[in-house]
């Protein structure tokens, strides 16, 4: 009997609780615990985790898509009549500075209002996930806002006032240019030089030159180069092999982000997707990876935490799902490893690009 119970416990431990995760993301869109108050300025990224999570779960039908599309457009920083704020355009994270609700231009001039590169990235992704055609995105504003954020060394700030500058924001910028099908938003060559300069002695990528290798930065570096279509031009076959090796060595049970650190759910995506982009993910141990991710699943409220027996949060809930999707968990939609949205949302984007290109051809 005791033996049977033990077996039952083990069986239950690897059960994937899909309905709980759907409810977790529904709640994320409706109401958040007080401890999230400090994340108000980046609320759009939390909305993205919930929407893309529901998309991976094949459950977008539980939300009112049109309502959320309108809210996302209300966060677009649009050019003013005199276009004096072009370098500040993009998407902001929420209505925290009190700009009146509006989904139409012209923009309102406010000294502290500007887009944030990660909000523009997650805003555009969210619109695609919801099936929007991006026709109300002010592309010229987004691209001008992006150009204003790139530094001489090729890296990007997140906001015009200045912030940390590193490969994370190059990745966001690459996603924006890729989605808008227009690379005039950045100097690609300089960005590639910054990425190359961040390759560390042990063949992972750091936040910048001379910094410690890290799974998250390595993902941003490789995914950016893939989106640019410049992976094999920027890195030699020997360098790519060494990067593959550094990434494969990050698997313990799940993956960690740096040597001698504990495994963490989100790296099943950051490192897993990098290995997928580099064509060698199949050489990792899927079963150990799956067991670790599921050990961080919250069986009561849904979602995943970074570690077992910890509180789930939207970021780890989303990347836990993406990690499971990469290893082919049944009933989960496939994720595009470089753009970090489902393959379905990616195909929708490709169709939009085709439409834009053919209408552009007709004009000339
Ligand atoms: Zn994490």
């Amino acid at each position: 009997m005791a033996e049977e119970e033990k077996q039952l416990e083990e069986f239950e431990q690897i059960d994937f609780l899909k309905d709980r995760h759907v409810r977790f993301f529904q709640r994320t869109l409706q109401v958040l615990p007080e401890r999230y108050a400090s994340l108000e300025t980046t609320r759009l990224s939390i909305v993205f985790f919930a929407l893309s999570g529901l998309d991976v779960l094949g459950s977008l039908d539980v939300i009112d898509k049109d309502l959320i599309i309108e809210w996302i457009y209300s966060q677009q920083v649009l050019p003013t009549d005199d276009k004096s704020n072009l370098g500040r355009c993009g998407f902001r994270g929420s209505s925290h500075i009190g700009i009146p609700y509006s989904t139409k231009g012209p923009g309102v001039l406010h000294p502290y209002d500007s887009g944030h590169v990660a909000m523009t990235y997650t805003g555009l992704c969210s619109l695609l996930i919801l099936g929007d055609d991006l026709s109300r995105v002010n592309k010229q504003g987004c691209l001008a806002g992006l150009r204003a954020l790139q530094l001489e060394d090729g890296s990007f700030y997140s906001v015009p006032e200045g912030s940390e500058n590193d490969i994370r924001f190059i990745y966001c910028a690459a996603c924006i240019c890729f989605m808008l099908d227009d690379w005039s938003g950045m100097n690609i060559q300089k960005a590639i030089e910054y990425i190359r300069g961040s390759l560390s002695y042990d063949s992972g990528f750091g936040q910048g030159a001379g910094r410690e290798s890290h799974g998250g930065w390595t993902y941003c570096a490789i995914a950016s180069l893939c989106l640019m279509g410049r992976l094999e031009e920027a890195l030699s076959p020997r360098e790519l092999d060494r990067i593959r090796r550094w990434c494969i060595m990050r698997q313990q049970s799940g993956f960690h982000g740096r040597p001698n650190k504990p495994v963490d759910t989100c790296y099943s995506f950051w490192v897993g997707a990098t290995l997928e982009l580099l064509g060698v993910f199949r050489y990792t141990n899927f079963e150990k990876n799956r067991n670790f991710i599921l050990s961080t699943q919250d069986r009561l409220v849904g979602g995943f935490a970074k570690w077992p027996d910890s509180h789930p949060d939207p970021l780890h809930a989303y990347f836990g799902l993406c990690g499971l999707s990469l290893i082919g968990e049944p009933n989960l939609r496939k994720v595009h490893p470089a753009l970090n949205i489902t393959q379905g949302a990616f195909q929708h984007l490709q169709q939009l690009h085709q439409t834009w290109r053919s209408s552009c051809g007709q004009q000339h």
Side-chain angles (χ1 to χ4, degrees):
M1 187 64 195
E3 187 63 21
E4 248 176 73
E5 264 176 26
K6 198 167 158 241
Q7 277 178 0
L8 193 66
E9 252 177 45
E10 276 171 14
F11 173 74
E12 279 183 352
Q13 211 187 351
I14 56 165
D15 208 4
F16 175 66
L17 302 169
K18 181 180 165 178
D19 293 346
R20 298 264 158 106
H21 300 307
V22 172
R23 287 205 289 278
F24 178 87
F25 289 123
Q26 272 183 289
R27 274 198 311 280
T28 298
L29 287 170
Q30 287 157 358
V31 60
L32 289 168
E34 190 190 357
R35 66 174 183 275
Y36 284 93
S38 63
L39 299 178
E40 175 62 15
T41 53
T42 52
R43 198 201 306 178
L44 191 44
S45 60
I46 299 172
V47 168
F48 161 74
F49 294 142
L51 292 175
S52 204
L54 287 170
D55 196 11
V56 174
L57 289 161
S59 301
L60 277 174
D61 53 336
V62 301
I63 54 161
D64 183 341
K65 292 183 196 163
D66 292 340
L67 196 72
I68 301 177
I69 288 174
E70 292 310 304
W71 181 78
I72 294 170
Y73 275 117
S74 78
Q75 301 313 327
Q76 186 173 202
V77 180
L78 289 162
T80 50
D81 271 332
D82 63 359
K83 298 196 181 348
S84 60
N85 68 337
L86 264 185
R88 305 180 65 83
C89 289
F91 283 75
R92 61 179 97 84
S94 74
S95 52
H96 59 279
I97 59 166
I99 300 283
Y101 179 91
S102 168
T103 57
K104 293 195 185 87
V108 184
L109 199 59
H110 183 295
Y112 302 117
D113 193 24
S114 72
H116 180 297
V117 73
M119 300 308 113
T120 309
Y121 155 56
T122 48
L124 293 175
C125 284
S126 298
L127 288 170
L128 285 175
I129 291 164
L130 294 165
D132 183 75
D133 64 3
L134 306 188
S135 60
R136 288 187 279 161
V137 172
N138 190 306
K139 290 182 192 169
Q140 292 320 314
C142 284
L143 293 166
L146 208 50
R147 281 192 291 273
L149 295 174
Q150 192 168 23
L151 281 79
E152 204 42 46
D153 67 5
S155 65
F156 280 78
Y157 283 143
S158 62
V159 287
E161 287 75 23
S163 65
E164 288 185 292
N165 58 295
D166 52 54
I167 298 193
R168 265 178 315 178
F169 304 135
I170 291 181
Y171 170 70
C172 295
C175 289
I176 294 166
C177 291
F178 185 90
M179 285 188 274
L180 296 181
D181 200 21
D182 189 333
W183 289 86
S184 68
M186 66 153 75
N187 181 324
I188 293 186
Q189 206 49 46
K190 281 189 176 173
I192 291 176
E193 279 164 27
Y194 188 89
I195 293 172
R196 273 206 56 87
S198 307
L199 183 58
S200 182
Y201 71 92
D202 61 355
S203 296
F205 288 84
Q207 190 171 0
R211 309 287 289 271
E212 184 186 8
S213 294
H214 183 282
W217 311 118
T218 302
Y219 170 77
C220 290
I222 297 299
S224 299
L225 292 173
C226 287
L227 291 169
M228 292 168 184
R230 306 285 280 271
L231 182 69
E232 265 126 26
E233 188 188 317
L235 297 162
S236 70
R238 190 182 163 89
E239 283 170 327
L240 284 168
D241 273 344
R242 288 180 167 179
I243 296 165
R244 289 183 180 103
R245 182 176 182 279
W246 186 87
C247 289
I248 282 194
M249 298 289 281
R250 303 285 64 78
Q251 181 165 31
Q252 313 293 302
S253 50
F255 289 82
H256 62 193
R258 285 175 281 172
N260 301 317
K261 293 281 279 185
V263 288
D264 170 342
T265 311
C266 66
Y267 293 102
S268 287
F269 176 77
W270 302 123
V271 182
T274 309
L275 287 166
E276 177 76 28
L277 290 169
L278 295 173
V280 291
F281 185 54
R282 63 185 181 281
Y283 298 121
T284 61
N285 187 318
F286 284 15
E287 195 186 344
K288 282 187 179 173
N289 187 10
R290 179 177 189 271
N291 285 345
F292 172 73
I293 298 173
L294 287 180
S295 74
T296 69
Q297 173 177 246
D298 192 301
R299 303 179 55 77
L300 200 62
V301 298
F304 296 86
K306 77 192 269 166
W307 296 318
D309 301 320
S310 313
H311 288 294
D313 63 80
L315 182 146
H316 288 91
Y318 174 59
F319 287 116
L321 278 186
C322 291
L324 289 171
S325 164
L326 284 176
I327 55 174
E329 181 74 21
N331 303 319
L332 287 185
R333 291 189 172 159
K334 281 273 168 209
V335 174
H336 187 276
L339 204 53
N340 187 19
I341 53 178
T342 60
Q343 293 286 358
F346 182 74
Q347 280 161 17
H348 171 55
L349 176 65
Q350 283 181 311
Q351 282 162 7
L352 290 182
H353 284 178
Q354 268 176 16
T355 317
W356 296 346
R357 286 172 193 175
S358 60
S359 67
C360 200
Q362 280 163 14
Q363 279 168 15
H364 292 298

